[in-house]
Amino acid sequence: METLTWTGAVGVFLNPVLGMAAALFAVTLVAQLVLGFFAPALTLQSNADGTLAARGGLLGTTETANKYLFLAVLVLALAYLIIPLVTPYGTVGIIGEMSQRFLPVWIALVVTFGASIRFKRHLGLYGKLFDSTVGMIGFGLVMFWVFTAVFVGLFDMIATHDYLSQVSGLKNKIPGVPVPEGIAGAIPHYLLGGDNLARDIFSRVVAGSTFVIAIAPLATVFAFMVGITLGLPAGYYSGRLDTILSFLANLILAFPVILLFYLLVTPEIVETGIPSYMAAFLFAFPMIFFGVLLNSRYYTQPAKRNLILVPVLGILGWLYLSIINQQGTVIDFLPTWLDLFDISILVVFVSVVFVNAPTVFRIVRGLTLDLRTRDYVAAAQTRGEGAWYIMLWEILPNARGPLIVDFCLRIGYTTILLGTLGFFGLGLSSESPDWGSTINEGRKLLLIYAHPALPPAIALLSLVLGLNLLADGLREESLKD
Amino acid sequence: MGLFILRRLGVMILTALCLTFIVFWLTNLAPNLEKLAKTQGNARMSDEAVTSYLANRGYAQPLPVKYGQWLGVLPGYVIEGSDGGLRARCAGPGESVADAATFCGILQGDWGNSTVFKDEVGSIVATRLGLTGKLMLCVMLVMVPGALILGVLAGMREGSRTDRALSTVSIISTATPEYVSGVVFISVFATATFGMNWFKGTATSAMENATFENFLLPVMTIALYGMGYIARMTRASMTEVMTAQYIRTARLKGVSFPTIVLRHALRNALIAPFTVIMLQFPWLLNGVVIVETLFNYKGFGWVLVQAAGNNDIELLLGVSVVSVFVVLITQLISDIGYVFLNPRIRIS
């Protein structure tokens, strides 16, 4: 087996063309930016005969050239991804083979985008996202990693090798290195090379996506539950309750995050059981939230309320007990057959929720302070609705816009936090394929071998960037109406 | 104004007391103390030996008492140990118990001794803080002007192509945490992988002699992450100002666009970014820890990691006190500065 090059046979023809197009694009882009400072802020000019013309002159020409050059670069870049799907193995280089490995993700993405754009007028805010280019790019990046996580985690599809198995002789080998005969794997190459322990970097990076995609949104949901349940009454009642809760929130926020992690996520602290008690406290909030939410709505019809509330609280309570009940920690009372799952990284999960909750609290409190003076709140108060009904069914739905945007941003921030934990080797095992730990592994030999640390870094960057762009698109679209 | 500052100061001191107490409590939990005894004494100590070791050194006292002694509001312990030795908190190594002062705590300027560096915490924190101060100064010199220019240019004409391009740049920079940009910078500019081996991948030599070659990458790594956020806030503030009535009046009077931006809009648009820059300090502290670890620059963040990783209780407490105070003081400055800069509040 030969070592794969980056672009293979396709690149012989495509590389020079793409290089030229990209260089031209860069030149016109700079020219346009410079010219833009001196040009009038017009996009359309009216002619004497009553028609409209696009901006002419030098700037107009560069803008048009820019547009077509950008399209050319885009099409050429796509060619690198599409050509390999129809050519045999080994002819299209590393990029081509990676694209082939991601085939299920491409199909899922095309289906999602096709269906969403076709029905976008019936899909509310989600549909409006497809009117904004920025939002679509962000959504695409996020969904790329979501689908990757799903296909790797549930169907075991994209990864080429076992992310833990070490192959002797492949330690720190460059991307595209062939794997010796007789080693199990979907393809006979390490696409992105081997890491310090001779494991396949490509497989580790895609396996790491399952960790982030599973933990980050869930931790953010928990942080939102805590923040909403405490922020609504703080903003609605104000007064002493608000003073105390705000003081506590500011207290946590004044803590440097890394110091907090170093204090909380150590084996000694886990031994004392503090994370378990914190979990017992923080994870109770979803139950409180849904309990109050449903009770405040249906308490006038006790029969109906009980019918809804009992199963909801039953399931949530069971999940709650399963989460906080950990074998070998201070909270370990459930019999094994009742305990659904043991989360090995409970301490990581708890500290991430703990760090995020105060910020959510402050946002919700601020929104509530603003919304409680509205007329519909006064109308509800006049109707004699309870305080919790007003908070949860009148104020909260009207605060959803900024909260959805912040939710996207916060998932990105949580991803960064999880990476930070991994980077300092806190709470995660060194075997763990998550991106932070992999970057931490790779940075130790960074000056000699750069290739092991770069793929997880770029993966993390693209996911967080996608979430930020998605939030930006959502904000723009939700402000339009 | 005076009352406002006083009240803020009161809240700040209360917060500082709460936070230091939390750190004190977490570092003085039983498993941490046991680890301390075993690393300082003997790794194979029996449980009784650990208990008597801790009792002899005053660790067995109730937590509030220990906290009071550490703070310097309660007299330091003088304990006659089970091994017959007389130990006092305030007696340093080589000093006799009789000469020791009654109070020795943070308030008296006695920060204790580091078990890792075998030195006084006060002097360690001071020297390391100086090194980090150098780093932060360079970061601020790059980040603040860069972010303000980026934000003002983007916010000057909302929705224009310049705005779109610059906003994308700032989004990308906020989405790049320090450990990602640091790794990318090192592998691109400090290794031969891409043929651009221009800078040094470690900043250890920058501690004595900072040059462009060894200091640019760490500075850029921290500056980049904070820059995007400040730029976005500046842009938002600038777009808001540009739609204000007095800007329209100025345009209708025929004032040229550059004059409007520089003379009329800029001053009011820079009020909001000021508070944001001040509130960035806690995040910068995060960045400092990551970057100093990554580039092996032995400053304050590096000490934090060393202290926390080696269970060096007194050093960790000292580091926490300093970082908590940095955060709280910047919050205070940001509050006061906002009131001071905003003419609507200042005059009324």
Side-chain angles (χ1 to χ4, degrees), chain B residues 2 26 45 96 118 125-126 129 142 168 179 198 208 222 232 244 263 336:
Chain B
L26 284 172
M45 259 184 196
S96 82
K118 311 285 180 212
V125 168
L129 212 53
V142 175
T168 315
Y179 51 89
W198 297 334
E208 283 97 41
I222 304 182
R232 288 177 83 172
R263 300 260 321 263
I336 296 171

Side-chain angles (χ1 to χ4, degrees), chain A residues 127-168:
Chain A
K128 277 195 207 143
L129 191 64
F130 292 87
D131 291 334
S132 134
T133 323
V134 170
M136 275 205 284
I137 295 172
F139 184 71
L141 281 171
V142 173
M143 288 320 280
F144 174 83
W145 286 112
V146 171
F147 286 132
T148 306
V150 167
F151 285 119
V152 173
L154 299 182
F155 304 109
D156 198 13
M157 283 173 87
I158 294 160
T160 56
H161 295 80
D162 177 24
Y163 69 83
L164 283 178
S165 68
Q166 309 177 357
V167 178
S168 68

